[in-house]
Structures are given as C-alpha cells and as structure tokens.
Amino acid sequence: MIQHERRQLLEAKIWPHVQTPGQYVGGERNAVVKDHSQLRGKLCIGFPDAYTIGMSHHGLQVLYSLMNRRSDWCAERVFTPWPDMEALLRKHGVPLYSLETFTALSDFDVLGLSLQYEISSPNVLTMLDLGGIPLEAKQRTMADPLVVAGGPCCQNPEPMAEYFDVMIIGDGEPALPAICDAWLAKKEQALARDGRLLAGAAGQRQREEALAEIAAELPYAYVPRFYEPEYADGRIIALNRTRPEVPETIAPAVISDLEAMPLPTKPVVPYIECVHDRIALEIMRGCPHLCRFCQSTVIKRPLRVREVETIVEAALESYRQTGFNEISILSLSSSDYPHFEPLMHRLHEVFKPLDVNISVPSLRVNEQLRTLPLLLGNDRRRSMTLAPEVARDDMREQIRKKIKNSDLIEGCRVAFQNGFESVKLYFMCGLPGERPVDLDGIVELAEQIATVGKEVRGRYPKVTASVSNFVPKAHTPYQWNAMQKREYFQWAHKYLWSRRQIRSVNIKCHDIETSLLEGVLSRGDRRTGKAIRLAWERGARMDGWTEHLDPQRWWDAVADAGIDVQQQVHEPYQLLDKLPWDHVNVKFGRGYLEKEQTRATVQLASMANAK
C-alpha cells in the first residue's frame, strides 16, 4: 500500500516536473516484478550514475538476471537521480526507490552498488542519503540494509571504506548470492538469539557481530570496519585487524567455468535512449596479454572463454526478447578470443538475414587486424576503433604492448577499402619515461593512417587520436610510479596540437583536472573518504559528467581533508613500501608485480641512455 501511495505522489508531484521522467518510472520490457510477501530476501542493485549509463552496463544486467532466476529473492534496480529529481524527492519527503516496486532503499535486505568510476563516488552518498540509509557503515543497525560494493574501484577499497559494510573483491556472480544468503542467515540468528533486531548502540553491536562472522566465512568479503590503518610520515605503514577471526588479506572470488554461467538473455529494455542501445554478450573474461599499465588484465585473471554456439544461441534469444538491431560482443580484447573467426562467421550467418549489426568494440592491433574488416562487415559500421596506446616500438616494449605499426596501418587500409570512413585511436600520455618523440609518434601515426585513407578513398578520412592522461592504478606494475603533474599534461596537450598538419586529423585530449582527481581518488587511503564526503556535502553531484564537475570544489575538499596531493599522487612509492591496497590479493600476487616493475625500471634506464 505504501508503494502504491508513493507512485501516486510521484505521478502527481514529481515526474511531470523533471527532465526525462522515463528514467524514473520503471515498467520497462523484461523488468522483473515479484511479490515481496512471497520472498525470503530483497536485493536492490544500484549503479551510482545516471540511468542512461547504468542501463548500458553489462554487469548490472548479469547480476539482475542471476538473482531474479531465484524464486526466493528479487533483484530490483536503482540509479542516481539527476539534481532536479533529487531536489523534488527531498522537497516532498519521498525516499529514493527501486524502479520495479517503488520500494524505499531502506526497506531492502541488501543494497549492492557497482563502483566503476572514482569521480562518481559522491553519487554513492546521494543514493544512501536519499534512500534513508545512514551514510557511515558503523552507524547502521541490524535493521538497516547490508550495503555492498563491487566493481573495479574495489581494487583499492580504502577511499570508500567507511560507507560500505562489505566490499566484494573479484567476480560478482559467485560472491553476491553468497553474501545475500549469509546476511539473511545472520538476521535470522540475531532474531532467534535476541528476539528482535535491536536499535541504537545495541543494534550496532548486533550488526558488528554478524559482519565479523561474514568476514571470517567468505574470503572475498572485505569488511573495512575490522581493519585500522596506521600512518607515519603522511603514508600508510600498516593495516591492523581489530578482530583475530577476520583474514589478513582478501582473496578474489573467481568463476572457474565461465561457460557454465548463463548469459542474460532477457535484458531490461530501457524506455529512453541510453549510451548503449544494443545487446551485449561477454564472450571471454580476462586477457592473454600482460600490459603493464592495465589494471583489468591483472584483476580479471585467469582467462576464461565461452563456446561459439553458447554465444550465438544467447544472442538469438536476446534478440527475440528485445528486438535490438545491434549485438556487441564484449571482452578486454575480443579479437583475441580463440574462436574469433568462427564466431564472427556464425553471427553474420544468423543475424545478417535479420538486419542485425555485429559490433566488436575492443580490437587488438596484431596481424589479424589485416583481415578483421572483412570479418566485421560494414552494413552500418563506418568507423573502426583501435587502441595502440603508444606509437613507438621502444615505448611499446616498456609497457608490454606487443603490436606493430605495420599491422595497424594495413588493417586500416583494408578497412578503408571495405567502406569504413573513419578511425579512432586511443593513446596515453604521461607514461613512465615518456619523451617528446613519443608524442611526435602519436601525431605521425594518426596522419600516416589519414594518408593511407586518402590513397584508398581519394580524400582524407577522419582520424581521431584520443589521448588520455595516464593514472598509475592499483595492482599494476606501475602502481609504484608517480603520476605526471598538471603542468606536464598542459604542455603535452599543446605540443600534440602543435605537431598536427592534416586537418582531418583531430587530437582529442582528456580533461586534465578530471584525470588528476582520478589519481587522487584511485591512489588514496582511507583518509580520502573525508574529501569525498566534503565534496558531496558542498554539492558534488554527477561529476562523471563534464558539465557538472567543479574541479575547484574538489580541490578545496581535498585540501580541507588534509590530503597531501604531492605525496599521494606525484611522488613514487619505493618497492618495499606498504601500499593502501596491499590487503587485496590478485592472481600471481605482489611478487609478480614487483618483478615487472623492476624490469620496467631497467628498460626505462636503457631508453634514457639511448637518447
């Protein structure tokens, strides 16, 4: 009854007065609505960004489908509302609610949030606050939902540690159901032992005992409240356990058999246009390569693949259930999928008669690229996206990106011959050991591809070199390295533009302030959470969207939180230093990363001597 009255209020007072109300009304095709009275547990899966971003995220659809296949649980969805919606919810006293049943977040058993982008951290606080859930984990009692985090930002969980009860390390498919079931069991035990879920300080102690048991039972469940950081000279030197039963380090949850994990074949179809309006199917998890800058290739190990027919059948069922006219096959490097050519032939065989396009967003630059344009086809595909990362051979050796310019150029030539009209290239600037000649190479390579396009097409094609600012990430061999300063990136961006000679070549550099903030948040320890809280209290909302980001508000919050940016971001760690994220384990472990860092240092010295 409460949900019905809430919907009536939303329809009368709120939805007519916000932009794009379709993102707040629910009821989409394939949305799953269950009777709460018939369930053991209620899970709300949240994405701390706008609906248009969250509904494009494959992981959300995977977990939504996984939990809703169970008869004893429901999984519902929630996203961060835009400021206009937030203001009206507060004005009318309406809590943030799930899209399926308009249930307040505080009424769920578990709230699971996917942390994909550090700059979006304040959105988590918006969702908790609007949902009626205490912001800090230690303020909650057993009657509050269990607040769980997953996603790549959990690889350094410390900046957001105070706001989550549990942070999942590794694959969500095995971990989330186990944590949900464990939480219900702890609530039932508390009720049996104490007769009720207690309030106040007693309720907080009741919750703490339950969380301690979960931390001891599930090796991938990091419960931050049981770990106290110790600092010296401005940096963390230890992370001390406050209870002996919790593990010293956290092991990742890993799906051993990806093929056995069902793909979501009835994804929710949004009412409104989203970033990706298409079917997405994960064909492989992990990457066979060991690029030193890449966090994903480290945390997604080991390499696991699905069979061709499994993918094709799931794609066909998804098409029947959605009507989307594009299928995107996903992995860190799709063209490294061991059965790539048979897969592409089968997909085209099945879907070309249906006028469904096949999209491959993550292509590797290798000898196979010379034949890929023929495999991809171009019925509606007029642009090819590639990620050479750097443009010179010695820098590629340094970052362990084993590609050749000759393969890239010939692949682009074949693409132009087959009707492709533009190429987008992803590069990085600010890598360890970067020289002006490396920046020269970015422009030269882009212009060489444009010249090849003119040879084939008679006019210069559009070639975009998208240049990101390198941030050393946790669990990569570069995690000990410093990030370049603002002044360097400003110079590098201007230098790149000064070298451009062909007008059809566009150099698109990422925003420097955003990259520097990403460095602060991704490399921070638990003290960084105070800066996030201050930025949120001062109005930080939807900062992953450039038009909403106020960098000065962030820098003021960082300064007021007492964070030394120079030390945290721009000074390297020594190889034996304690790192804020050392308690999170990855496959091969820290020893492997140390060896790779040492090898990279030797190669940097060799590059410097070669000058």
Side-chain angles (χ1 to χ4, degrees):
M1 187 63 183
I2 293 175
Q3 284 89 328
H4 177 68
E5 294 172 354
R6 185 171 294 142
R7 174 164 186 148
Q8 287 184 321
L9 177 57
L10 291 164
E11 288 177 341
K13 300 290 187 181
I14 296 179
W15 291 340
H17 305 290
V18 297
Q19 289 189 342
T20 322
Q23 64 191 308
Y24 304 119
V25 302
E28 307 99 317
R29 178 177 176 83
N30 296 334
V32 179
V33 179
K34 296 183 178 182
D35 182 352
H36 288 186
S37 67
Q38 304 300 310
L39 303 170
R40 265 189 80 230
K42 304 184 296 295
L43 164 68
C44 192
I45 300 175
F47 198 91
D49 209 319
Y51 177 97
T52 54
I53 300 292
M55 284 301 296
S56 302
H57 187 249
H58 179 62
L60 182 141
Q61 299 275 12
V62 168
L63 295 175
Y64 183 83
S65 173
L66 175 72
M67 290 301 293
N68 275 320
R69 279 197 293 270
R70 295 182 50 163
S71 60
D72 57 340
W73 276 87
C74 70
E76 304 188 5
R77 295 163 298 136
V78 66
F79 305 94
T80 307
W82 287 98
D84 61 342
M85 180 67 168
E86 179 186 348
L88 286 174
L89 289 174
R90 294 190 187 279
K91 177 181 177 180
H92 293 285
V94 177
L96 186 60
Y97 54 86
S98 67
L99 295 181
E100 279 71 14
T101 60
F102 306 98
T103 300
L105 299 192
S106 58
D107 290 335
F108 283 88
D109 295 295
V110 179
L111 171 64
L113 299 180
S114 179
L115 306 185
Q116 296 290 321
Y117 185 35
E118 293 87 354
I119 306 297
S120 298
S121 296
N123 293 346
V124 171
L125 304 187
T126 299
M127 297 174 77
L128 292 175
D129 189 51
L130 281 176
I133 300 171
L135 293 183
E136 295 181 14
K138 290 184 178 181
Q139 297 173 335
R140 300 173 196 142
T141 71
M142 205 68 185
D144 292 305
L146 184 74
V147 183
V148 181
C153 292
C154 288
Q155 294 304 314
N156 177 15
E158 294 309 292
M160 293 297 288
E162 293 185 357
Y163 309 115
F164 286 96
D165 299 304
V166 179
M167 304 182 88
I168 293 174
I169 308 302
D171 294 328
E173 294 97 327
L176 182 61
I179 286 175
C180 287
D181 287 337
W183 179 243
L184 281 194
K186 302 310 173 190
K187 289 180 73 172
E188 291 166 359
Q189 290 170 13
L191 284 169
R193 182 181 63 246
D194 301 323
R196 59 192 176 94
L197 299 179
L198 305 174
Q204 292 170 358
R205 289 192 296 272
Q206 193 180 48
R207 186 182 185 94
E208 181 167 321
E209 293 304 315
L211 288 170
E213 293 172 8
I214 289 176
E217 294 166 5
L218 302 177
Y220 44 75
Y222 175 51
V223 181
R225 69 171 66 200
F226 301 129
Y227 301 80
E228 288 290 337
E230 181 181 344
Y231 306 100
D233 299 324
R235 279 184 166 170
I236 189 169
I237 60 169
L239 193 67
N240 301 308
R241 291 175 292 168
T242 61
R243 299 183 68 128
E245 68 266 38
V246 303
E248 186 174 351
T249 60
I250 312 302
V254 177
I255 297 173
S256 58
D257 185 0
L258 189 65
E259 172 72 6
M261 189 62 61
L263 283 159
T265 55
K266 293 183 69 175
V268 180
V269 181
Y271 276 144
I272 66 173
E273 183 178 357
C274 291
V275 174
H276 298 308
D277 284 323
R278 61 196 185 194
I279 296 164
L281 298 171
E282 184 188 35
I283 64 172
M284 178 173 73
R285 190 169 300 182
C287 181
H289 306 285
L290 302 171
C291 300
R292 288 179 176 139
F293 62 86
C294 182
Q295 185 186 65
S296 294
T297 192
V298 176
I299 66 178
K300 296 292 186 181
R301 291 176 186 147
L303 184 67
R304 294 146 289 173
V305 302
R306 287 192 167 98
E307 297 296 328
V308 168
E309 285 308 311
T310 300
I311 298 164
V312 173
E313 291 171 10
L316 191 56
E317 180 61 21
S318 298
Y319 169 73
R320 296 189 186 110
Q321 296 292 340
T322 65
F324 280 127
N325 65 357
E326 182 172 354
I327 294 170
S328 178
I329 60 174
L330 303 179
S331 77
L332 292 176
S333 180
S334 294
S335 51
D336 282 313
Y337 173 66
H339 315 299
F340 184 76
E341 289 195 23
L343 173 63
M344 294 305 296
H345 286 307
R346 282 287 291 131
L347 288 173
H348 283 300
E349 176 188 339
V350 172
F351 289 101
K352 193 167 185 178
L354 300 174
D355 196 30
V356 174
N357 191 43
I358 308 301
S359 170
V360 186
S362 52
L363 300 176
R364 181 164 178 83
V365 179
N366 57 19
E367 64 280 354
Q368 187 187 51
L369 184 59
R370 297 168 185 255
T371 61
L372 272 178
L374 297 173
L375 289 173
L376 296 177
N378 73 321
D379 294 340
R380 286 191 297 275
R381 185 183 178 87
R382 298 292 178 180
S383 179
M384 178 178 283
T385 301
L386 303 165
E389 310 296 356
V390 296
R392 290 181 58 85
D393 289 341
D394 54 356
M395 182 58 82
R396 288 193 183 120
E397 183 70 21
Q398 149 73 7
I399 69 172
R400 290 198 65 170
K401 183 91 173 181
K402 297 179 181 180
I403 67 173
K404 297 179 181 179
N405 283 352
S406 58
D407 292 327
L408 188 150
I409 291 166
E410 286 309 305
C412 291
R413 185 187 299 277
V414 175
F416 292 136
Q417 290 170 346
N418 284 273
F420 286 74
E421 298 174 348
S422 64
V423 174
K424 185 173 184 179
L425 306 167
Y426 284 106
F427 293 98
M428 291 182 289
C429 74
L431 283 160
E434 184 171 83
R435 308 149 299 181
V437 70
D438 297 304
L439 301 177
D440 292 337
I442 291 174
V443 181
E444 290 166 3
L445 183 55
E447 293 191 339
Q448 193 172 358
I449 290 170
T451 301
V452 167
K454 185 180 180 183
E455 292 172 0
V456 173
R457 303 173 68 246
R459 62 183 184 278
Y460 283 119
K462 180 180 178 182
V463 178
T464 300
S466 179
V467 183
S468 63
N469 306 307
F470 174 66
V471 180
K473 287 295 181 79
H475 306 299
T476 69
Y478 288 154
Q479 65 183 352
W480 290 274
N481 289 84
M483 183 178 178
Q484 290 283 6
K485 294 184 178 181
R486 178 182 289 104
E487 293 76 15
Y488 176 85
F489 289 122
Q490 290 171 341
W491 169 82
H493 293 182
K494 289 178 182 177
Y495 184 82
L496 286 165
W497 270 102
S498 74
R499 304 293 292 176
R500 187 184 70 122
Q501 295 180 335
I502 298 176
R503 291 184 62 185
S504 72
V505 172
N506 183 31
I507 310 294
K508 187 176 181 181
C509 299
H510 287 207
D511 179 67
I512 295 171
E513 298 303 313
T514 302
S515 298
L516 291 171
L517 283 170
E518 183 180 342
V520 171
L521 298 177
S522 67
R523 295 176 61 78
D525 53 42
R526 199 167 296 190
R527 295 168 297 184
T528 305
K530 181 179 179 182
I532 295 169
R533 176 76 174 263
L534 286 174
W536 174 75
E537 290 173 344
R538 296 169 183 179
R541 300 291 190 277
M542 292 295 194
D543 284 359
W545 300 72
T546 305
E547 63 270 28
H548 287 263
L549 177 66
D550 179 354
Q552 193 56 52
R553 174 163 52 208
W554 272 101
W555 295 125
D556 290 343
V558 167
D560 292 344
I563 294 172
D564 184 340
V565 175
Q566 170 64 25
Q567 185 182 57
Q568 184 159 310
V569 180
H570 302 305
E571 292 180 4
Y573 282 98
Q574 299 303 308
L575 203 58
L576 298 180
D577 284 347
K578 173 75 175 178
L579 303 176
W581 48 85
D582 271 345
H583 52 296
V584 175
N585 289 331
V586 294
K587 190 173 177 64
F588 300 161
R590 177 171 163 143
Y592 163 78
L593 300 176
E594 289 175 352
K595 290 178 182 177
E596 281 298 301
Q597 167 62 206
T598 301
R599 292 185 182 119
T601 302
V602 172
Q603 289 171 341
L604 281 174
S606 176
M607 288 169 58
N609 292 333
K611 292 194 297 185

